[in-house]
Amino acid sequence: MKRKDLDLEHFRDKLQKERERLLKEIDEVAEDTQELDVSASEAEDRGDIAEIDAQNVIDQTVLDTLKKELSEVVAALKRIEEGSYGICEKTGRPIPVERLEAYPAARTVADA
């Protein structure tokens, strides 16, 4: 089933901008993590080392979340290319335009 009521170029543009934002943020977090690793190797105080380790855990969690979001965006772009964008993967119903505007990578209708 293909959606004819959607401006696919609009959503493609939104998703591509989101992909670029996520890639930039992933690079920034990865760079911060590398800087922390250098600081950890130079730290001598146990408190500093513990603080750096805790920040590394936080950064890794953020990085994992960003990568998951990026995966969702890339999958949505693929659905646009395949012609299945905007169709609920569970019910086969059209995903409301309002939901897609709020979360362009949506795979399902809200109640699925």
Side-chain angles (χ1 to χ4, degrees):
M1 177 181 208
K2 190 172 182 177
R3 297 278 303 261
K4 296 179 184 189
D5 63 329
L6 291 179
D7 179 357
L8 293 179
E9 286 304 313
H10 167 73
F11 288 105
R12 182 181 287 119
D13 185 53
K14 283 184 83 154
L15 288 161
Q16 287 173 337
K17 286 178 181 174
E18 181 65 3
R19 179 180 62 194
E20 293 306 313
R21 184 192 71 77
L22 289 167
L23 287 169
K24 182 180 177 189
E25 198 166 340
I26 287 168
D27 284 345
E28 290 171 0
V29 173
E31 188 176 304
D32 290 347
T33 301
Q34 289 175 345
E35 289 173 9
L36 280 174
D37 288 343
V38 169
S39 296
S41 67
E42 297 171 353
E44 295 179 17
D45 180 78
R46 286 184 180 182
D48 290 343
I49 293 170
E51 186 177 329
I52 291 167
D53 286 346
Q55 187 60 50
N56 269 333
V57 170
I58 292 168
D59 286 351
Q60 189 58 53
T61 302
V62 169
L63 202 52
D64 290 346
T65 301
L66 291 170
K67 287 178 180 179
K68 183 177 180 203
E69 289 176 30
L70 178 61
S71 173
E72 291 293 321
V73 167
V74 169
L77 286 165
K78 185 175 180 183
R79 289 193 302 278
I80 288 175
E81 297 308 314
E82 294 173 344
S84 61
Y85 182 78
I87 305 299
C88 178
E89 293 179 355
K90 292 184 180 181
T91 66
R93 297 188 331 238
I95 300 170
V97 174
E98 298 81 12
R99 178 163 169 76
L100 293 171
E101 283 292 344
Y103 182 58
R107 294 177 176 261
T108 62
V109 293
D111 61 355

